[in-house]
Amino acid sequence: QVQLVESGGASVQPGGSLRLSCAASGTIFSLNDMGWYRRAPGKERELVATITSGGLTNYANSVKGRFTVSRDNAKNTGYLQMNNLKPEDTAVYYCSADVRPYFGASYYQKWGQGTQVTVSS
């Protein structure tokens, strides 16, 4: 069994910063792509950022220049640094990871439970 646990969500004022973490634990041989997604109230889930195991990143246009995705492969942990937060960033943020549980196994996508980020004055 593999678990992804997000942390770092909070309520902040516009212009503030938060750092989300996503820790993977359990039976893990390797992690491939990791991603951050969010779902705002009444909206569909949307991609925020992704990062490959080699460190290549991709961002939604709405967060480019404000958010930075990173990872520590030795710790099986991903991060999302969010700066200059705006009210429209309010959402539940989810991390995902492509997990290979043991050598030779196929990757499968695992999701965390989500962490709430609220940006309001």
Side-chain angles (χ1 to χ4, degrees), residues 53-90:
S53 58
L56 295 177
T57 59
N58 180 56
Y59 296 92
N61 287 335
S62 59
V63 306
K64 280 182 181 177
R66 300 187 298 123
F67 291 12
T68 302
V69 62
S70 62
R71 62 192 287 171
D72 184 333
N73 291 331
K75 295 181 179 180
N76 287 333
T77 300
Y79 306 96
L80 184 67
Q81 177 67 43
M82 305 186 294
N83 298 327
N84 190 21
L85 283 160
K86 303 176 180 181
E88 52 264 40
D89 294 319
T90 295

Side-chain angles (χ1 to χ4, degrees), residues 4-5 11 23 31-32 58 97-98 114 119:
L4 295 184
V5 179
S11 294
L31 298 178
N32 200 6
N58 180 56
D98 292 335
V119 186

Side-chain angles (χ1 to χ4, degrees), residues 8-24:
S11 294
V12 296
Q13 293 186 340
S17 297
L18 285 174
R19 189 192 196 205
L20 305 183
S21 298
C22 173

Side-chain angles (χ1 to χ4, degrees), residues 45-61:
R45 184 177 65 195
E46 64 173 353
L47 171 72
V48 176
T50 61
I51 183 167
T52 69
S53 58
L56 295 177
T57 59
N58 180 56
Y59 296 92
N61 287 335

